[in-house]
Amino acid sequence: MDHLKQKVAHHLSVIYSDVTLDITTDTLADEVMSIMRLDSEVCNPVAHQNHWSQEDVILITYGDSIKTENQPPLQTLHGFLQDYCNDVITSVHILPFFPYSSDDGFSVINFSAVNESLGDWQDISSISGDYHLMADLVINHCSSRSLWFENFKLGREPGLDYFVTADPKDDIEQVVRPRTSPLLRETQTNEGIKHVWCTFSHDQVDLNFKNPEVLKEFIAIIRLYLDKGVKIFRLDAVAFLWKKLGTRCINLDQTHEVVRLIRTLVEHSSEHAMLITETNIPNRENLTYFGNANEAHCIYNFSLPPLLVNTLVTGNCKYLKQWMMSMPPAQNGTAYFNFIASHDGIGLRPAEGLLKDEELNTLINTMQSFGGRISWRATNGGVNKAYEINIALIDALQGTVKGPDKWGIDRFICAHAIMLSLEGIPGIYIHSLLGTGNDYEKVKHTNHNRSINRHQWDYEELVNQLGQEWTQHAQTYSRLKHLIKLRVEQPAFHPNATQFTLHLGDQMFGFWRQSMDRRQSIFCINNISDEVINLSLSDINLISTDNWCDLITGTVYDSIELGIEVQPYQTLWISNL
């Protein structure tokens, strides 16, 4: 216990090294540990222990992505998971299910309550009893309609010093923003006009972690979520957490130390709890959130979506292959979180330095021609720059730079086959599993670009669509389910199993996976073009004494000298077991 307290106190001393506190870091450590009940209940985490296997697949969904009359949406979701996903996923990420005022849940009014329109804590606990539950810790900001912000304006606690303020004359030129709105929001308070820091929107006011009371509030929230069955904590927008005038206010040392502190507290409170950092930033910066296996257990592989979509619409895997060869293997105890579609869009910042401007412009223009929208951010020079592409993935892959074609669903399945076989834990967005297209009506209704990929299904209509084999929804669900069921049976697809890139030309994206016990090898071969490609098995150095077969089709290869015609967007998982 003394060692743990020393560790917590050290984290706090680093976080508050430039802040004058009213209490000592030792006293603050005692308070933090008491909130987490670490004064009486302590787990002993094992260093570099993997909390996952090839069997783990995470479904990403809103609490009300599927609705039915006269039933709380969380109960409808639970029923859908049991009826359609029991043999597909092990975990579910329910996007913010708290009372909120904007941004579809990410402007939280009350972190400790369940949105009544979705259900209650019992519904959350029921889902966490059947699946590993991933929940958002929206840690950078809260709603301007929260009690904390109302108290801030009135000059009373809790909330008095809970928010970051600045003078418009302060040096904020370097601040990195993902939005085009002004950084500072003019706010009338009992003490006069104050300018409140808003990294995202003016309804999302940034919290002041220089005040340890704010940190303690979030430690209590973490403890509550653990008690309700949350296993995986998604640290939303955490890169922006700490502010220091005259800097970029992103990825600061104190931010990393806060992540380390949360890691220490969570893993000593719950043996299998995990942190995933949501840091939609350039690839090199994103990788730093692994720390030395002492920060995030998992980091979002944000560069994968833009690179993979670019690969499939251009028919050239050059940039994807270059990136993959540059990615360090995740050491045991850490893993990449792979995804190719989400409730947001296809982020473009993670492609900076990986795709040339000309490639990015072609990608943007192609996505716009497929019905996509573009969201923008402000740069230091005052020029707006494309931040993300908003589009449903199945529509993003309906064609190539040449236009729509007949290979849309095959291209979409190829994208998921690549994602499912890469090093890391796969996350599948519910609207990818269901083959949901662009929702233009919702965009018109909300006037928000991101709504294009946030459709709400009527459960009865969804069941009807999935029951008819010819529908886009039934085809994508059936084919993805087949791939997932194959994936979870292969030791070579363990998130930390060895991975090497193969060199098979620009139209064939290939890599080799080997199980951690070295018994199984899988050669993952993907034709990312709209042309038939002839492949000789001798090109991928199969061992002649092993028996090889394609797991997806069941085809057995009697000779490694065979030539194979790989169809457009076909994937081969050639395994020796």
Side-chain angles (χ1 to χ4, degrees), residues 50 52 290 296-300 330-337 423-425 495-496:
N50 295 324
W52 44 80
F290 275 141
H297 293 87
C298 303
I299 62 171
Y300 271 73
Q331 57 181 304
N332 282 332
T334 65
Y336 293 108
F337 180 60
E423 175 191 354
I425 301 168
N496 296 88

Coordinates of all heavy atoms in Angstrom, one line a residue, residues 50 52 290 296-300 330-337 423-425 495-496:
N50 N -1.4 -9.1 -21.3 CA -2.5 -8.9 -22.3 C -3.8 -9.2 -21.7 O -4.0 -10.3 -21.3 CB -2.2 -9.7 -23.6 CG -0.9 -9.3 -24.3 OD1 -0.6 -8.1 -24.3 ND2 -0.2 -10.3 -24.9
W52 N -6.5 -9.4 -23.6 CA -7.3 -9.6 -24.8 C -6.7 -10.8 -25.6 O -5.6 -11.3 -25.3 CB -7.2 -8.4 -25.7 CG -5.8 -7.8 -25.8 CD1 -4.8 -8.3 -26.5 CD2 -5.3 -6.7 -25.0 NE1 -3.7 -7.5 -26.3 CE2 -3.9 -6.6 -25.4 CE3 -5.9 -5.9 -24.0 CZ2 -3.1 -5.6 -24.8 CZ3 -5.0 -4.9 -23.5 CH2 -3.7 -4.8 -23.9
F290 N 1.1 5.3 -25.8 CA 1.4 4.0 -25.2 C 2.3 4.2 -24.0 O 2.4 3.4 -23.1 CB 2.2 3.1 -26.2 CG 1.3 2.3 -27.1 CD1 1.6 2.1 -28.4 CD2 0.1 1.7 -26.7 CE1 0.8 1.4 -29.3 CE2 -0.7 1.0 -27.5 CZ -0.3 0.8 -28.8
A296 N -1.8 4.3 -22.0 CA -3.0 3.6 -22.6 C -2.7 2.1 -22.8 O -1.6 1.8 -23.3 CB -3.4 4.2 -23.9
H297 N -3.6 1.3 -22.4 CA -3.5 -0.1 -22.9 C -3.6 -0.2 -24.4 O -2.9 -1.0 -25.0 CB -4.6 -1.0 -22.2 CG -4.4 -1.1 -20.7 ND1 -5.0 -0.2 -19.9 CD2 -3.9 -2.1 -20.0 CE1 -4.8 -0.6 -18.6 NE2 -4.1 -1.7 -18.6
C298 N -4.5 0.6 -24.9 CA -4.7 0.6 -26.4 C -4.8 2.0 -26.9 O -5.3 2.9 -26.2 CB -6.0 -0.1 -26.7 SG -6.1 -1.8 -26.1
I299 N -4.4 2.2 -28.1 CA -4.6 3.5 -28.7 C -5.4 3.3 -30.0 O -5.2 2.3 -30.7 CB -3.3 4.2 -29.0 CG1 -2.4 3.4 -30.0 CG2 -2.5 4.6 -27.8 CD1 -1.2 4.2 -30.5
Y300 N -6.2 4.2 -30.4 CA -6.9 4.2 -31.6 C -5.9 4.3 -32.8 O -5.1 5.1 -32.8 CB -7.9 5.4 -31.7 CG -9.3 5.1 -31.2 CD1 -9.5 5.0 -29.8 CD2 -10.4 5.0 -32.0 CE1 -10.8 4.8 -29.3 CE2 -11.7 4.8 -31.5 CZ -11.8 4.7 -30.1 OH -13.1 4.5 -29.6
A330 N 3.2 -3.4 -31.1 CA 2.8 -3.1 -29.7 C 3.4 -4.1 -28.8 O 3.2 -5.3 -29.0 CB 1.3 -3.1 -29.7
Q331 N 4.1 -3.7 -27.7 CA 4.6 -4.6 -26.8 C 3.5 -5.2 -26.0 O 2.4 -4.7 -25.9 CB 5.6 -3.9 -25.9 CG 5.2 -2.7 -25.1 CD 6.3 -2.1 -24.3 OE1 6.9 -2.8 -23.5 NE2 6.6 -0.8 -24.5
N332 N 3.8 -6.4 -25.4 CA 2.8 -7.1 -24.6 C 2.2 -6.1 -23.5 O 3.0 -5.4 -22.9 CB 3.3 -8.3 -23.9 CG 3.4 -9.5 -24.9 OD1 2.6 -9.6 -25.9 ND2 4.3 -10.4 -24.7
G333 N 0.9 -6.2 -23.3 CA 0.3 -5.3 -22.3 C -0.2 -4.0 -23.0 O -0.9 -3.2 -22.4
T334 N 0.0 -3.9 -24.3 CA -0.5 -2.8 -25.1 C -1.0 -3.4 -26.4 O -0.5 -4.5 -26.9 CB 0.5 -1.7 -25.4 OG1 1.6 -2.2 -26.2 CG2 1.1 -1.1 -24.1
A335 N -1.9 -2.7 -27.1 CA -2.4 -3.1 -28.4 C -3.0 -2.0 -29.2 O -3.4 -1.0 -28.6 CB -3.5 -4.2 -28.2
Y336 N -3.0 -2.1 -30.5 CA -3.7 -1.1 -31.3 C -5.2 -1.4 -31.3 O -5.6 -2.6 -31.3 CB -3.1 -1.2 -32.8 CG -1.7 -0.7 -32.9 CD1 -0.7 -1.6 -33.1 CD2 -1.4 0.6 -32.7 CE1 0.6 -1.2 -33.3 CE2 -0.1 1.0 -32.9 CZ 0.9 0.1 -33.1 OH 2.2 0.5 -33.2
F337 N -6.0 -0.4 -31.3 CA -7.4 -0.5 -31.5 C -7.7 -0.1 -32.9 O -7.6 1.0 -33.3 CB -8.2 0.3 -30.5 CG -9.7 0.2 -30.7 CD1 -10.3 -1.0 -30.5 CD2 -10.4 1.3 -31.0 CE1 -11.7 -1.1 -30.6 CE2 -11.8 1.2 -31.1 CZ -12.4 0.0 -30.9
E423 N -2.6 -6.7 -36.9 CA -2.2 -6.7 -35.5 C -3.1 -5.7 -34.8 O -3.3 -4.5 -35.2 CB -0.8 -6.2 -35.4 CG -0.3 -6.0 -34.0 CD 1.1 -5.4 -33.9 OE1 1.7 -5.1 -34.9 OE2 1.5 -5.0 -32.7
G424 N -3.7 -6.1 -33.7 CA -4.6 -5.2 -32.9 C -5.9 -5.8 -32.7 O -6.3 -6.9 -33.1
I425 N -6.8 -5.0 -31.9 CA -8.1 -5.4 -31.5 C -9.1 -4.7 -32.5 O -9.0 -3.5 -32.6 CB -8.4 -5.0 -30.1 CG1 -7.5 -5.7 -29.1 CG2 -9.9 -5.4 -29.7 CD1 -7.5 -5.1 -27.7
P495 N -4.1 -10.1 -31.1 CA -3.7 -8.7 -31.3 C -2.2 -8.5 -31.2 O -1.7 -7.5 -31.8 CB -4.5 -8.0 -30.2 CG -5.7 -8.8 -30.0 CD -5.2 -10.3 -30.1
N496 N -1.5 -9.3 -30.5 CA 0.0 -9.1 -30.4 C 0.8 -10.1 -31.1 O 2.0 -10.2 -31.0 CB 0.4 -9.1 -28.9 CG -0.2 -8.0 -28.1 OD1 -1.4 -8.1 -27.6 ND2 0.4 -6.9 -28.0

